[in-house]
């Protein structure tokens, strides 16, 4: 029995390590049609953040786009293209320990929040006085909320988990069923010894009221990792003005790819409406 418990603990520790292991890869050059430029931003966390950005003379605002867990800038290129077509400049980053941004560990938003703040600062320095928006997908949205208030003018949060307990528990429930509760506890217990902070620091729902700007929450009706019910709780916790759009039939996946027409009729107009405001922060 003792050996069995020890073996289970070792397996859980190895599994926990794989979850926060870096997801670095070469993303290559930006696609020529979008005319993006490359730079590196300095995050307050100490990380060097690989970045693409646009330099459009007649832009009316800038949107910072942040990918999800184990992704990189390429995952939000489809959104960037739509923003550019709407007259919005873009800043796209690889969160630390993702893509071409070095990092020792993924911290599920805790340190990544400084990367989002660095991208917002970069956008503000490039276009002083111009409105700024954020599109954050899953981890990217969680990092944006954990960094709030960022003094931006609009925020789109796609498939963003309310708490780390629910994020881990839902994923394990999908894979393991009845065993998920025990293993969820085993993984959450690793956060402090591995990453140096408590699980209580990873609660985007506690920060959404501090976003201090209009918020649009987007969720897939069939998402089992971040459920529609959780998104509705996030909506209630957010300050007005707030909106929710549900992508019917979508799981925890690319909502834009699932239904481009709905994305184009809700998310992009939301950004254009709020980023064409006369006064920026």
């Amino acid at each position: 029995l003792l050996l069995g418990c020890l073996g289970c603990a070792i397996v859980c520790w190895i599994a926990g390590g794989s979850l926060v292991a870096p997801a670095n890869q070469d993303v290559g050059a930006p696609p020529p049609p979008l005319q993006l430029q490359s730079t590196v931003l300095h995050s307050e966390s100490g990380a060097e953040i690989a970045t693409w950005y646009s330099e459009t003379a007649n832009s009316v605002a800038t949107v910072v786009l942040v990918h999800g867990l184990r992704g990189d800038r390429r995952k939000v290129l489809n959104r960037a293209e739509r923003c550019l077509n709407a007259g919005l400049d873009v800043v796209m980053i690889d969160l630390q320990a993702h893509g071409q941004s070095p990092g020792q560990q993924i911290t599920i938003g805790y340190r990544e929040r400084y990367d989002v703040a660095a991208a917002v600062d970069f956008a503000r320095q490039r276009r002083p006085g111009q409105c700024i928006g954020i599109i954050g997908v899953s981890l990217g949205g969680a990092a944006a909320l954990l960094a709030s208030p960022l003094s931006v003018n609009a925020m789109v949060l796609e498939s963003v988990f309310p708490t780390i307990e629910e994020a881990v528990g839902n994923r394990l429930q999908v894979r393991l069923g009845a065993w998920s509760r025990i293993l969820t506890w085993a993984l959450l217990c690793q956060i402090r010894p591995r990453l140096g902070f408590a699980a209580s620091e990873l609660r985007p729902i506690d920060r959404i009221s501090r976003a201090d700007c209009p918020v649009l929450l987007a969720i897939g009706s069939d998402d089992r990792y971040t459920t529609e019910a959780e998104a509705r709780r996030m909506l209630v916790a957010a300050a007005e003005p707030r909106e929710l759009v549900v992508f019917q039939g979508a799981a925890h996946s690319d909502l834009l790819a699932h239904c481009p027409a709905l994305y184009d009729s809700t998310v992009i107009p939301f950004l254009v409406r709020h980023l064409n405001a006369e006064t920026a922060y």
Side-chain angles (χ1 to χ4, degrees):
L1 179 62
L2 180 60
L3 288 176
C5 291
L6 179 60
C8 183
I10 291 173
V11 169
C12 287
W13 184 258
I14 293 172
S18 68
L19 291 175
V20 299
N24 294 117
Q25 55 187 315
D26 184 5
V27 305
L34 298 188
Q35 298 183 334
L36 299 171
Q37 300 187 42
S38 300
T39 191
V40 174
L41 306 181
H42 303 285
S43 170
E44 190 177 329
S45 68
E48 301 293 304
I49 305 304
T51 303
W52 288 336
Y53 69 98
S54 61
E55 193 76 62
T56 308
N58 298 320
S59 68
V60 297
T62 300
V63 178
V64 174
L65 298 110
V66 196
H67 61 80
L69 182 65
R70 311 197 78 79
D72 56 60
R73 289 165 283 175
R74 294 172 296 181
K75 294 292 187 180
V76 291
L77 275 169
N78 52 1
R79 294 160 177 78
E81 182 175 9
R82 281 165 163 76
C83 289
L84 290 168
N85 289 339
L88 306 170
D89 270 353
V90 296
V91 175
M92 310 164 62
I93 62 173
D94 288 343
L95 293 168
Q96 58 185 278
H98 290 80
Q100 291 180 209
S101 296
Q104 297 300 311
Q105 294 172 311
I106 297 171
T107 65
I108 325 299
Y110 184 80
R111 297 191 186 98
E112 292 85 353
R113 57 183 164 163
Y114 298 111
D115 310 342
V116 178
V120 170
D121 288 344
F122 175 71
R124 186 168 289 121
Q125 291 164 11
R126 285 187 57 251
R127 303 287 195 187
Q130 193 179 75
C131 290
I132 298 173
I134 294 175
I135 298 178
V137 180
S138 192
L139 170 61
L145 287 178
L146 293 175
S148 293
L150 287 164
S151 295
V152 297
N153 301 86
M155 192 177 292
V156 175
L157 303 169
E158 299 184 29
S159 311
V160 175
F161 61 88
T163 70
I164 189 62
E165 289 86 356
E166 288 162 296
V168 173
N170 289 348
R171 284 159 175 78
L172 290 178
Q173 175 67 35
V174 170
R175 290 174 169 81
L176 303 173
W179 287 95
S180 62
R181 288 191 178 186
I182 295 174
L183 294 177
T184 297
W185 174 84
L187 290 177
L188 292 174
C189 285
Q190 297 180 37
I191 290 179
R192 185 178 289 280
R194 280 191 183 278
L195 304 178
F197 54 85
S200 60
E201 298 290 328
L202 298 177
R203 295 178 55 87
I205 194 169
D206 292 345
R207 305 288 301 188
I208 194 168
S209 64
R210 304 186 188 185
D212 198 26
C213 67
V215 171
L216 173 65
L217 288 149
I219 193 70
S221 65
D222 294 353
D223 192 339
R224 298 173 67 190
Y225 289 172
T226 301
T227 66
E228 182 180 340
E230 290 168 358
R232 292 188 181 279
R233 281 177 41 225
M234 295 276 280
L235 182 72
V236 171
E240 295 282 2
R242 60 198 182 190
E243 299 179 31
L244 174 70
V245 57
V246 179
F247 286 70
Q248 293 298 324
H252 196 81
S253 57
D254 190 329
L255 298 179
L256 170 53
H258 179 82
C259 188
L262 181 58
Y263 203 97
D264 290 343
S265 65
T266 56
V267 175
I268 299 304
F270 171 86
L271 288 171
V272 170
R273 184 165 68 250
H274 292 291
L275 298 184
N276 276 328
E278 296 181 3
T279 304
Y281 283 97

